[in-house]
């Protein structure tokens, strides 16, 4: 006999669901995803735990289901997470078929929540091994959680110069009216319950790799058995006269996000740099600031990452909201009164009123504390790692924005990729190799930018692309664009074309090549068949 909290309900007839189909049904009034794969039925939570995307609109390939919005993947047998940016799994439910009718059995509490947290091992005080993770971002978080999920019972310390537990940095420029607590990825209690020590305002100043010891700004030090360096990156600095005036801001913390919102409301805002932070800040503040001027030395926003076609669309979207663009020029001086900025002077002679200046130019790996050590870094300061996230020093791993790593889509050439999902994949891979699993990184970079309620999605690595193929219409803001290098697709971007980028991410993940000819010949149907083959 069923207990009162367990429900069995008929949801449809067997013939209602074709093979490979994703169907949202309801059980006790709650939405559940029914999947038919190779004639077998599976039932799962219906929403992605990341931002709540409807998984019925996702991409199914074998036993992997990929979220249509941001590319997280789940195993349809277990509901386990297989690809970030989501941190949690989805519940899975029992399915039975009788007389052509499909029944789902589920506990009410599992129906109420569309996310399931993975089980973890407990901290055992007899295990004296210490994993020290430098950094408080998603790379260190994914590493810490993976260590516990994979049975590590020793000590885990995350040490960060941040004031907060790990938070969703991507929202700092997209939703500037949120408090820090609103964007926490994990609450302090969550980390505590899993025996993960979290040290805030604890900045590393040097590492002694011989003695396996890290020294901190406050004079303390900590020994480790294995070390993860995941200190991230920071914004480039202005090198112009007047750069030391007040109200010149970078955007790297929740406090800075709130400060910019407060200073810019009803005032003259100048944004230096038209990449993701600059464009997202301009979009969010477009109906809050008095005036917005964007200064960029390239001809288009997103020039290097997404190219002039997507950059041109984004620029038009913001121009329609009154944002002024000053392209192919740069800031050469800031003037002020009483110590506060009042004016931005451009290289082309233009003068812009400026009550607040937001700087979003470049990013620099946060690795200066490693200067003078034997760890291998490139000319920009990024730490060199292999596909195991291993540095040149035994027992020392690195992950996230601070590293440069071999990218499969670039034929193994090294690159630094500053996306949340990539940092999480690095953290997980590092954790498995700290445990001696011999795991190689296998991921397709995936990111998104939100402007005025619309999301540009991007998957792959288009660095060094020589050609593009556009499907749909750039003018109508509904398009899919392929980036071609050496005759093959290495990346894709879209606007209003879900789940196309997730579909292409899945094809690239499986190691399949899409030729330029296939990209040119394809319509949405043919890409779908390419993914299913």
């Amino acid at each position: 006999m069923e207990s009162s909290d367990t429900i069995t309900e008929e949801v449809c007839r067997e013939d209602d669901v074709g093979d490979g189909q994703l169907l949202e049904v309801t059980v006790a009034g709650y939405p559940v995803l029914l999947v038919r794969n190779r004639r077998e039925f599976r039932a799962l939570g219906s929403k992605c735990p990341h931002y709540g995307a409807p998984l019925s609109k996702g991409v199914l390939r074998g036993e992997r289901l990929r979220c249509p919005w941001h590319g997280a993947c789940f195993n349809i047998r277990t509901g386990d997470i297989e690809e970030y940016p989501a941190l949690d799994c989805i519940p899975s439910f029992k399915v039975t078929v009788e007389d052509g009718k499909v029944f789902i059995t589920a506990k009410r509490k599992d129906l109420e929540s569309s996310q399931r947290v993975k089980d973890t091992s407990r901290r055992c005080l007899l295990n004296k091994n210490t994993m020290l993770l430098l950094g408080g971002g998603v790379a260190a978080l994914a590493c810490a959680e993976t260590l516990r999920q994979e049975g590590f019972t020793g000590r885990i310390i995350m040490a960060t110069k941040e004031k907060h537990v790990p938070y969703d940095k991507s929202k700092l420029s997209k939703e500037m009216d949120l408090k820090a607590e609103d964007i926490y990825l994990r609450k302090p209690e969550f980390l505590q319950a899993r025996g993960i020590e979290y040290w805030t305002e604890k900045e590393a100043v040097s590492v002694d790799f011989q003695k396996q010891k890290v020294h901190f700004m406050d004079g303390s030090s900590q020994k480790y058995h294995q070390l993860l360096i995941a200190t991230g990156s920071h914004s480039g600095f202005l090198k112009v006269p007047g750069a030391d005036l007040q109200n010149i801001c970078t955007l790297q913390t929740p406090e800075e996000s709130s400060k910019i919102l407060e200073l810019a409301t009803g005032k003259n805002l100048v944004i230096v740099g038209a990449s993701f932070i600059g464009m997202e800040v301009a979009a969010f503040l477009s109906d809050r600031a008095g005036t917005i001027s964007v200064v960029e030395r390239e001809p288009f926003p997103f020039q290097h990452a997404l190219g002039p076609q997507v950059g041109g669309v984004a620029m038009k979207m913001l121009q329609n909201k009154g944002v002024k663009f000053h392209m192919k020029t740069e800031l050469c001086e800031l003037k002020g009164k009483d110590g506060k900025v009042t004016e931005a002077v451009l290289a082309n002679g233009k003068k812009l009123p400026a009550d607040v200046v937001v700087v979003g130019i470049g990013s620099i790996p946060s690795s200066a504390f490693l200067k003078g050590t034997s760890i291998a870094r490139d000319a920009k300061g990024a730490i060199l790692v292999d596909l195991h996230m291993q540095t040149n020093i035994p027992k020392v791993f690195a992950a996230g924005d601070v590293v440069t790593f071999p990218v499969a889509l670039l034929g193994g050439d090294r690159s630094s990729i500053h996306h949340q999902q990539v940092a999480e994949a690095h953290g997980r891979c590092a954790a498995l190799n700290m445990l001696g699993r011999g795991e190689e990184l296998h991921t397709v970079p995936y990111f998104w930018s939100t402007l005025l309620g619309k999301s540009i999605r991007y998957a792959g690595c288009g660095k060094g692309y020589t050609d593009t193929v556009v499907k749909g219409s750039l003018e109508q803001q509904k398009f899919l664009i392929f980036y071609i290098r050496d005759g093959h697709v290495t990346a894709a971007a879209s606007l209003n074309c879900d789940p196309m980028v997730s579909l292409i991410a899945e094809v690239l993940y499986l190691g399949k090549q899409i030729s330029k000819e296939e990209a040119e010949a394809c319509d949405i149907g043919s890409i779908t068949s390419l993914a299913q083959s």
Side-chain angles (χ1 to χ4, degrees), residues 429-463:
C429 184
L432 293 170
N433 291 309
M434 288 164 117
L435 298 173
R437 302 283 167 82
E439 181 87 4
E440 280 202 349
L441 181 73
H442 179 43
T443 190
V444 171
Y446 201 116
F447 79 91
W448 62 98
S449 183
T450 305
L451 302 174
L452 308 173
K454 293 184 173 177
S455 280
I456 296 167
R457 312 205 191 285
Y458 179 97
C461 187
K463 191 176 175 182

mmCIF file of all heavy atoms in Angstrom, residues 429-463:
data_model
loop_
_atom_site.group_PDB
_atom_site.id
_atom_site.type_symbol
_atom_site.label_atom_id
_atom_site.label_comp_id
_atom_site.label_asym_id
_atom_site.label_seq_id
_atom_site.Cartn_x
_atom_site.Cartn_y
_atom_site.Cartn_z
ATOM 1 N N CYS A 429 37.072 18.747 -12.775
ATOM 2 C CA CYS A 429 38.173 17.959 -13.333
ATOM 3 C C CYS A 429 39.372 17.955 -12.377
ATOM 4 O O CYS A 429 39.988 16.912 -12.125
ATOM 5 C CB CYS A 429 38.555 18.530 -14.690
ATOM 6 S SG CYS A 429 39.818 17.582 -15.549
ATOM 7 N N ALA A 430 39.696 19.116 -11.815
ATOM 8 C CA ALA A 430 40.803 19.213 -10.860
ATOM 9 C C ALA A 430 40.555 18.312 -9.646
ATOM 10 O O ALA A 430 41.444 17.585 -9.198
ATOM 11 C CB ALA A 430 40.990 20.661 -10.413
ATOM 12 N N ALA A 431 39.315 18.346 -9.129
ATOM 13 C CA ALA A 431 38.979 17.528 -7.949
ATOM 14 C C ALA A 431 39.202 16.041 -8.229
ATOM 15 O O ALA A 431 39.799 15.324 -7.420
ATOM 16 C CB ALA A 431 37.527 17.773 -7.545
ATOM 17 N N LEU A 432 38.719 15.587 -9.390
ATOM 18 C CA LEU A 432 38.871 14.165 -9.726
ATOM 19 C C LEU A 432 40.350 13.782 -9.826
ATOM 20 O O LEU A 432 40.748 12.695 -9.403
ATOM 21 C CB LEU A 432 38.138 13.853 -11.038
ATOM 22 C CG LEU A 432 36.608 13.984 -10.947
ATOM 23 C CD1 LEU A 432 35.969 13.895 -12.325
ATOM 24 C CD2 LEU A 432 36.009 12.909 -10.033
ATOM 25 N N ASN A 433 41.166 14.698 -10.348
ATOM 26 C CA ASN A 433 42.597 14.392 -10.474
ATOM 27 C C ASN A 433 43.351 14.549 -9.165
ATOM 28 O O ASN A 433 44.363 13.888 -8.945
ATOM 29 C CB ASN A 433 43.204 15.227 -11.600
ATOM 30 C CG ASN A 433 42.676 14.750 -12.947
ATOM 31 O OD1 ASN A 433 42.721 13.566 -13.240
ATOM 32 N ND2 ASN A 433 42.111 15.641 -13.736
ATOM 33 N N MET A 434 42.845 15.381 -8.260
ATOM 34 C CA MET A 434 43.416 15.430 -6.907
ATOM 35 C C MET A 434 43.191 14.089 -6.212
ATOM 36 O O MET A 434 43.953 13.682 -5.332
ATOM 37 C CB MET A 434 42.750 16.566 -6.102
ATOM 38 C CG MET A 434 43.179 17.960 -6.552
ATOM 39 S SD MET A 434 42.063 19.249 -5.916
ATOM 40 C CE MET A 434 43.172 20.181 -4.872
ATOM 41 N N LEU A 435 42.133 13.407 -6.635
ATOM 42 C CA LEU A 435 41.821 12.083 -6.073
ATOM 43 C C LEU A 435 42.441 10.961 -6.912
ATOM 44 O O LEU A 435 42.118 9.781 -6.721
ATOM 45 C CB LEU A 435 40.299 11.910 -5.996
ATOM 46 C CG LEU A 435 39.565 12.904 -5.086
ATOM 47 C CD1 LEU A 435 38.059 12.744 -5.214
ATOM 48 C CD2 LEU A 435 39.997 12.740 -3.634
ATOM 49 N N GLY A 436 43.269 11.342 -7.892
ATOM 50 C CA GLY A 436 44.003 10.340 -8.670
ATOM 51 C C GLY A 436 43.195 9.615 -9.715
ATOM 52 O O GLY A 436 43.514 8.480 -10.086
ATOM 53 N N ARG A 437 42.134 10.243 -10.218
ATOM 54 C CA ARG A 437 41.239 9.547 -11.168
ATOM 55 C C ARG A 437 41.715 9.579 -12.630
ATOM 56 O O ARG A 437 41.104 8.940 -13.478
ATOM 57 C CB ARG A 437 39.833 10.145 -11.099
ATOM 58 C CG ARG A 437 39.192 10.095 -9.734
ATOM 59 C CD ARG A 437 38.674 8.687 -9.418
ATOM 60 N NE ARG A 437 38.336 8.562 -8.011
ATOM 61 C CZ ARG A 437 37.192 8.957 -7.474
ATOM 62 N NH1 ARG A 437 36.259 9.518 -8.224
ATOM 63 N NH2 ARG A 437 36.975 8.795 -6.186
ATOM 64 N N GLY A 438 42.698 10.392 -12.949
ATOM 65 C CA GLY A 438 43.186 10.456 -14.332
ATOM 66 C C GLY A 438 42.152 10.969 -15.317
ATOM 67 O O GLY A 438 42.070 10.512 -16.452
ATOM 68 N N GLU A 439 41.356 11.937 -14.873
ATOM 69 C CA GLU A 439 40.263 12.476 -15.701
ATOM 70 C C GLU A 439 40.767 13.602 -16.605
ATOM 71 O O GLU A 439 41.444 14.516 -16.162
ATOM 72 C CB GLU A 439 39.185 13.035 -14.757
ATOM 73 C CG GLU A 439 37.975 13.604 -15.444
ATOM 74 C CD GLU A 439 36.909 12.567 -15.749
ATOM 75 O OE1 GLU A 439 37.062 11.394 -15.361
ATOM 76 O OE2 GLU A 439 35.908 12.947 -16.369
ATOM 77 N N GLU A 440 40.413 13.542 -17.897
ATOM 78 C CA GLU A 440 40.761 14.642 -18.812
ATOM 79 C C GLU A 440 39.567 15.563 -18.987
ATOM 80 O O GLU A 440 38.425 15.107 -19.045
ATOM 81 C CB GLU A 440 41.178 14.094 -20.184
ATOM 82 C CG GLU A 440 42.594 13.585 -20.217
ATOM 83 C CD GLU A 440 43.182 13.546 -21.632
ATOM 84 O OE1 GLU A 440 42.435 13.725 -22.612
ATOM 85 O OE2 GLU A 440 44.403 13.327 -21.745
ATOM 86 N N LEU A 441 39.837 16.837 -19.105
ATOM 87 C CA LEU A 441 38.775 17.818 -19.316
ATOM 88 C C LEU A 441 38.075 17.543 -20.649
ATOM 89 O O LEU A 441 38.728 17.392 -21.679
ATOM 90 C CB LEU A 441 39.386 19.224 -19.344
ATOM 91 C CG LEU A 441 38.392 20.372 -19.539
ATOM 92 C CD1 LEU A 441 37.570 20.594 -18.278
ATOM 93 C CD2 LEU A 441 39.121 21.661 -19.922
ATOM 94 N N HIS A 442 36.749 17.462 -20.610
ATOM 95 C CA HIS A 442 35.982 17.303 -21.847
ATOM 96 C C HIS A 442 34.728 18.165 -21.717
ATOM 97 O O HIS A 442 33.774 17.795 -21.038
ATOM 98 C CB HIS A 442 35.617 15.830 -22.065
ATOM 99 C CG HIS A 442 34.812 15.591 -23.313
ATOM 100 N ND1 HIS A 442 35.108 16.191 -24.518
ATOM 101 C CD2 HIS A 442 33.712 14.833 -23.548
ATOM 102 C CE1 HIS A 442 34.237 15.804 -25.440
ATOM 103 N NE2 HIS A 442 33.369 14.983 -24.862
ATOM 104 N N THR A 443 34.771 19.333 -22.310
ATOM 105 C CA THR A 443 33.628 20.240 -22.201
ATOM 106 C C THR A 443 33.582 21.145 -23.421
ATOM 107 O O THR A 443 34.600 21.366 -24.067
ATOM 108 C CB THR A 443 33.730 21.086 -20.904
ATOM 109 O OG1 THR A 443 32.507 21.786 -20.703
ATOM 110 C CG2 THR A 443 34.866 22.109 -20.961
ATOM 111 N N VAL A 444 32.387 21.620 -23.728
ATOM 112 C CA VAL A 444 32.230 22.635 -24.780
ATOM 113 C C VAL A 444 31.855 23.939 -24.088
ATOM 114 O O VAL A 444 30.827 24.008 -23.409
ATOM 115 C CB VAL A 444 31.132 22.226 -25.792
ATOM 116 C CG1 VAL A 444 30.817 23.375 -26.746
ATOM 117 C CG2 VAL A 444 31.579 21.005 -26.586
ATOM 118 N N PRO A 445 32.695 24.977 -24.218
ATOM 119 C CA PRO A 445 32.373 26.251 -23.559
ATOM 120 C C PRO A 445 30.986 26.759 -23.958
ATOM 121 O O PRO A 445 30.579 26.634 -25.118
ATOM 122 C CB PRO A 445 33.467 27.193 -24.089
ATOM 123 C CG PRO A 445 34.618 26.283 -24.401
ATOM 124 C CD PRO A 445 33.984 25.015 -24.917
ATOM 125 N N TYR A 446 30.277 27.328 -22.973
ATOM 126 C CA TYR A 446 28.902 27.796 -23.211
ATOM 127 C C TYR A 446 28.697 29.065 -22.389
ATOM 128 O O TYR A 446 28.981 29.080 -21.201
ATOM 129 C CB TYR A 446 27.920 26.722 -22.737
ATOM 130 C CG TYR A 446 26.527 26.795 -23.338
ATOM 131 C CD1 TYR A 446 26.047 25.774 -24.139
ATOM 132 C CD2 TYR A 446 25.675 27.879 -23.087
ATOM 133 C CE1 TYR A 446 24.762 25.817 -24.685
ATOM 134 C CE2 TYR A 446 24.401 27.929 -23.635
ATOM 135 C CZ TYR A 446 23.945 26.897 -24.426
ATOM 136 O OH TYR A 446 22.681 26.945 -24.967
ATOM 137 N N PHE A 447 28.256 30.139 -23.006
ATOM 138 C CA PHE A 447 27.941 31.326 -22.212
ATOM 139 C C PHE A 447 26.794 32.102 -22.848
ATOM 140 O O PHE A 447 26.329 31.780 -23.947
ATOM 141 C CB PHE A 447 29.182 32.199 -21.987
ATOM 142 C CG PHE A 447 29.579 33.081 -23.146
ATOM 143 C CD1 PHE A 447 29.085 34.366 -23.255
ATOM 144 C CD2 PHE A 447 30.473 32.626 -24.109
ATOM 145 C CE1 PHE A 447 29.464 35.183 -24.312
ATOM 146 C CE2 PHE A 447 30.853 33.443 -25.164
ATOM 147 C CZ PHE A 447 30.344 34.724 -25.267
ATOM 148 N N TRP A 448 26.334 33.114 -22.141
ATOM 149 C CA TRP A 448 25.196 33.897 -22.607
ATOM 150 C C TRP A 448 25.358 35.338 -22.137
ATOM 151 O O TRP A 448 26.023 35.621 -21.156
ATOM 152 C CB TRP A 448 23.884 33.312 -22.070
ATOM 153 C CG TRP A 448 23.809 33.340 -20.574
ATOM 154 C CD1 TRP A 448 23.188 34.263 -19.792
ATOM 155 C CD2 TRP A 448 24.408 32.399 -19.667
ATOM 156 N NE1 TRP A 448 23.367 33.966 -18.463
ATOM 157 C CE2 TRP A 448 24.114 32.831 -18.351
ATOM 158 C CE3 TRP A 448 25.169 31.240 -19.842
ATOM 159 C CZ2 TRP A 448 24.545 32.137 -17.233
ATOM 160 C CZ3 TRP A 448 25.609 30.560 -18.714
ATOM 161 C CH2 TRP A 448 25.288 31.007 -17.433
ATOM 162 N N SER A 449 24.744 36.238 -22.892
ATOM 163 C CA SER A 449 24.728 37.642 -22.492
ATOM 164 C C SER A 449 23.291 38.121 -22.603
ATOM 165 O O SER A 449 22.622 37.841 -23.592
ATOM 166 C CB SER A 449 25.635 38.460 -23.416
ATOM 167 O OG SER A 449 25.675 39.806 -22.996
ATOM 168 N N THR A 450 22.819 38.814 -21.577
ATOM 169 C CA THR A 450 21.425 39.274 -21.580
ATOM 170 C C THR A 450 21.375 40.784 -21.777
ATOM 171 O O THR A 450 22.016 41.530 -21.039
ATOM 172 C CB THR A 450 20.738 38.888 -20.245
ATOM 173 O OG1 THR A 450 20.881 37.482 -20.072
ATOM 174 C CG2 THR A 450 19.266 39.233 -20.264
ATOM 175 N N LEU A 451 20.641 41.203 -22.792
ATOM 176 C CA LEU A 451 20.464 42.623 -23.089
ATOM 177 C C LEU A 451 18.980 42.909 -23.275
ATOM 178 O O LEU A 451 18.338 42.317 -24.138
ATOM 179 C CB LEU A 451 21.200 43.011 -24.386
ATOM 180 C CG LEU A 451 22.705 42.751 -24.470
ATOM 181 C CD1 LEU A 451 23.204 43.067 -25.877
ATOM 182 C CD2 LEU A 451 23.469 43.572 -23.450
ATOM 183 N N LEU A 452 18.443 43.784 -22.443
ATOM 184 C CA LEU A 452 17.047 44.234 -22.591
ATOM 185 C C LEU A 452 16.073 43.060 -22.669
ATOM 186 O O LEU A 452 15.179 43.015 -23.497
ATOM 187 C CB LEU A 452 16.919 45.114 -23.844
ATOM 188 C CG LEU A 452 17.931 46.284 -23.926
ATOM 189 C CD1 LEU A 452 17.842 46.974 -25.272
ATOM 190 C CD2 LEU A 452 17.720 47.283 -22.787
ATOM 191 N N GLY A 453 16.292 42.080 -21.803
ATOM 192 C CA GLY A 453 15.361 40.945 -21.731
ATOM 193 C C GLY A 453 15.574 39.883 -22.791
ATOM 194 O O GLY A 453 14.837 38.904 -22.851
ATOM 195 N N LYS A 454 16.574 40.053 -23.648
ATOM 196 C CA LYS A 454 16.863 39.038 -24.668
ATOM 197 C C LYS A 454 18.241 38.446 -24.415
ATOM 198 O O LYS A 454 19.153 39.157 -24.003
ATOM 199 C CB LYS A 454 16.832 39.661 -26.064
ATOM 200 C CG LYS A 454 15.443 40.128 -26.465
ATOM 201 C CD LYS A 454 15.414 40.656 -27.880
ATOM 202 C CE LYS A 454 13.971 40.954 -28.274
ATOM 203 N NZ LYS A 454 13.889 41.530 -29.606
ATOM 204 N N SER A 455 18.377 37.156 -24.686
ATOM 205 C CA SER A 455 19.664 36.491 -24.424
ATOM 206 C C SER A 455 20.361 36.080 -25.703
ATOM 207 O O SER A 455 19.766 35.406 -26.547
ATOM 208 C CB SER A 455 19.453 35.257 -23.550
ATOM 209 O OG SER A 455 19.309 35.646 -22.203
ATOM 210 N N ILE A 456 21.613 36.498 -25.828
ATOM 211 C CA ILE A 456 22.483 35.984 -26.884
ATOM 212 C C ILE A 456 23.174 34.768 -26.289
ATOM 213 O O ILE A 456 23.787 34.864 -25.232
ATOM 214 C CB ILE A 456 23.522 37.043 -27.309
ATOM 215 C CG1 ILE A 456 22.831 38.260 -27.932
ATOM 216 C CG2 ILE A 456 24.539 36.436 -28.285
ATOM 217 C CD1 ILE A 456 23.727 39.482 -28.108
ATOM 218 N N ARG A 457 23.047 33.625 -26.933
ATOM 219 C CA ARG A 457 23.681 32.402 -26.437
ATOM 220 C C ARG A 457 24.854 32.047 -27.341
ATOM 221 O O ARG A 457 24.825 32.325 -28.548
ATOM 222 C CB ARG A 457 22.690 31.250 -26.424
ATOM 223 C CG ARG A 457 21.365 31.649 -25.785
ATOM 224 C CD ARG A 457 20.621 30.466 -25.231
ATOM 225 N NE ARG A 457 19.256 30.821 -24.869
ATOM 226 C CZ ARG A 457 18.917 31.516 -23.801
ATOM 227 N NH1 ARG A 457 19.838 31.947 -22.968
ATOM 228 N NH2 ARG A 457 17.656 31.791 -23.540
ATOM 229 N N TYR A 458 25.853 31.416 -26.749
ATOM 230 C CA TYR A 458 27.072 31.111 -27.503
ATOM 231 C C TYR A 458 27.666 29.817 -26.988
ATOM 232 O O TYR A 458 27.766 29.614 -25.777
ATOM 233 C CB TYR A 458 28.063 32.261 -27.303
ATOM 234 C CG TYR A 458 29.401 32.096 -27.993
ATOM 235 C CD1 TYR A 458 29.646 32.689 -29.223
ATOM 236 C CD2 TYR A 458 30.428 31.374 -27.388
ATOM 237 C CE1 TYR A 458 30.883 32.566 -29.846
ATOM 238 C CE2 TYR A 458 31.666 31.240 -28.004
ATOM 239 C CZ TYR A 458 31.887 31.837 -29.233
ATOM 240 O OH TYR A 458 33.111 31.714 -29.840
ATOM 241 N N ALA A 459 28.071 28.951 -27.903
ATOM 242 C CA ALA A 459 28.756 27.713 -27.504
ATOM 243 C C ALA A 459 29.934 27.471 -28.426
ATOM 244 O O ALA A 459 29.892 27.827 -29.607
ATOM 245 C CB ALA A 459 27.803 26.524 -27.557
ATOM 246 N N GLY A 460 30.976 26.857 -27.864
ATOM 247 C CA GLY A 460 32.156 26.542 -28.652
ATOM 248 C C GLY A 460 33.281 27.504 -28.355
ATOM 249 O O GLY A 460 33.308 28.157 -27.317
ATOM 250 N N CYS A 461 34.210 27.603 -29.311
ATOM 251 C CA CYS A 461 35.337 28.521 -29.163
ATOM 252 C C CYS A 461 35.681 29.056 -30.551
ATOM 253 O O CYS A 461 36.298 28.361 -31.351
ATOM 254 C CB CYS A 461 36.523 27.802 -28.533
ATOM 255 S SG CYS A 461 37.856 28.935 -28.158
ATOM 256 N N GLY A 462 35.256 30.276 -30.815
ATOM 257 C CA GLY A 462 35.404 30.854 -32.151
ATOM 258 C C GLY A 462 36.717 31.583 -32.372
ATOM 259 O O GLY A 462 36.894 32.227 -33.403
ATOM 260 N N LYS A 463 37.630 31.495 -31.421
ATOM 261 C CA LYS A 463 38.911 32.212 -31.531
ATOM 262 C C LYS A 463 39.581 31.891 -32.875
ATOM 263 O O LYS A 463 39.699 30.736 -33.261
ATOM 264 C CB LYS A 463 39.806 31.765 -30.372
ATOM 265 C CG LYS A 463 41.054 32.604 -30.182
ATOM 266 C CD LYS A 463 41.789 32.092 -28.944
ATOM 267 C CE LYS A 463 43.109 32.785 -28.755
ATOM 268 N NZ LYS A 463 43.832 32.255 -27.598
#
